[in-house]
Amino acid sequence: MVTALFIKEDTPLLDMAIDRFQSLVWLSKKRVIVIFNRLKHRDHVINEFVEGYKGKTRQMGFRVYNSSSPEVKSDRAMYDTVNKTCVEFNCTWIWHQDSNVLAVNNEGIRKLVLFNVSVIAPLVVNDLNDADPTVNFWGDTVANGFYKRSPDYKDLSQRQTSGLFVVPYASGAYLVKAEVMKDLTFFHASYNDRNSDIVFCNSIRKSGHLYFFNSDSADFVFLNGRTDETVPYPLMEHFPDNKIAFYLSFYMKWDHHRQRDWDYTKATPVQNPCEDVYVLELFSEKFTKVMKQAASHSGKWASRSWTEGWNVLETLAFKDLGYEKGWEMFSTDYLPTITHRKFAGYESEGNPLQAFVMRMSNSSLATGALEGNGVYTVLISLSEGDGESNVYFNDHCKVSVKPGDFLIFPSRLTNRVRFVPPKSGEVMNIISFYK
């Protein structure tokens, strides 16, 4: 099978989309990965993917065409390259996927293969509005192949009726038998390049049927939102629009929900090293890496005198990263459950008063104290320098933190917090105060 990912327009959480695309584990060794990227300012994302995964995955072939490649200059050039790759590897199936489509279920393609039809598209849904979701198909078209509403459109899009159907148009993702691809085309002189999907669906209808499967589960979702091409590492600004994507254990550990709910039977127990201090291993290596990249790239760090003991302390506000709404989304989901279970009578709704990244180096004094605002403080470790990464509570209780650790504790009421700077290098932590 040749699996092709097309990056034609800027996509939020692009690194996540690529990671999920390559992790379609069911395809195993019989798979050829082809990635087309038309966006020069996202070449670095593709290059990082290549460095991280090439040689480690089990696919038969691996092809990447970045923005300078002639193969990405038009839709026709990209699709012709896919077909040639299929011939080269004598493939049976071709999988087309746009970068704004996220594979929620790794088994999604297998479901389509089992139908064994010439061309089939899955339901791709926007997860923000269940009542009237944005989807990737049309129930009917006018003569030239453009949209026309159909009576059963709402039932299919809301999955009130599920199964295999014939539709005139779908976009975003297709599974095509290689033997029929020679009779299909994405190019027609009467349509521009942006309407290649309409041309493709028109050619399918001339030679057969476009089948459409709306599974009773959301196997594929749209990634929502526009990105700012001046920001090389977009991260949290898209969380409010992509809640499903956020919880796919890409930025968080696989058992994050069990730790939040204190399910000790299946998850790593939440640590309680000091009185009223709880440590959860929530965030993944990917989260800490991308967060550090985003913070390091920012030119809005401010040197400030925080409280006693600091010589050099730099902070970067989340509002200057564009992360305020995303952090609020995470906070309102996580904090209420945790505070209800462990701080009865002082529950928080999870509304952050302030959130920032704190950076300290060996030029800081031996210790520095932090006095939090609000009722609760959250600390998330992003990096550790050379030497021990220690946080002291009330001057005597030591907690050794590692990247990805999530600490929650009452602000001011019961805890005085001190940090020990690294012997060399720098340490970054996220600090957030809650009312």
Side-chain angles (χ1 to χ4, degrees), residues 49-212:
F49 165 76
V50 172
E51 290 300 317
Y53 290 103
K54 194 173 183 179
K56 297 181 181 180
T57 51
R58 300 175 293 172
Q59 72 280 345
M60 292 171 57
F62 189 96
R63 305 283 171 80
V64 173
Y65 301 96
N66 251 324
S67 61
S68 59
S69 304
E71 289 84 359
V72 305
K73 299 307 179 184
S74 68
D75 282 9
R76 184 177 187 178
M78 290 191 291
Y79 299 133
D80 285 347
T81 301
V82 172
N83 293 342
K84 291 175 182 177
T85 305
C86 180
V87 172
E88 177 184 349
F89 286 92
N90 193 28
C91 79
T92 305
W93 297 94
I94 299 175
W95 171 252
H96 290 252
Q97 181 180 328
D98 289 343
S99 60
N100 69 332
V101 173
L102 186 76
V104 176
N105 182 359
N106 284 351
E107 295 287 306
I109 295 181
R110 185 168 76 94
K111 294 179 184 179
L112 304 179
V113 170
L114 293 176
F115 284 111
N116 196 31
V117 295
S118 297
V119 187
I120 186 170
L123 172 68
V124 183
V125 63
N126 181 323
D127 67 305
L128 294 181
N129 187 356
D130 293 333
D132 190 16
T134 300
V135 292
N136 65 318
F137 78 99
W138 298 340
D140 200 357
T141 59
V142 294
N144 64 356
F146 285 90
Y147 173 77
K148 179 182 177 181
R149 186 109 179 172
S150 64
D152 58 353
Y153 174 83
K154 193 169 184 179
D155 288 343
L156 296 182
S157 62
Q158 293 180 344
R159 285 174 288 165
Q160 295 176 4
T161 303
S162 60
L164 187 67
F165 303 90
V166 174
V167 298
Y169 170 87
S171 65
Y174 311 96
L175 181 67
V176 186
K177 279 189 175 181
E179 64 190 42
V180 306
M181 197 66 212
K182 64 181 183 298
D183 300 320
L184 306 177
T185 182
F186 288 88
F187 175 77
H188 192 281
S190 301
Y191 296 82
N192 62 38
D193 212 28
R194 292 182 63 85
N195 292 321
S196 59
D197 52 351
I198 292 177
V199 174
F200 182 60
C201 292
N202 288 347
S203 68
I204 294 172
R205 295 201 305 275
K206 289 179 180 178
S207 59
H209 297 296
L210 170 57
Y211 290 92
F212 173 78

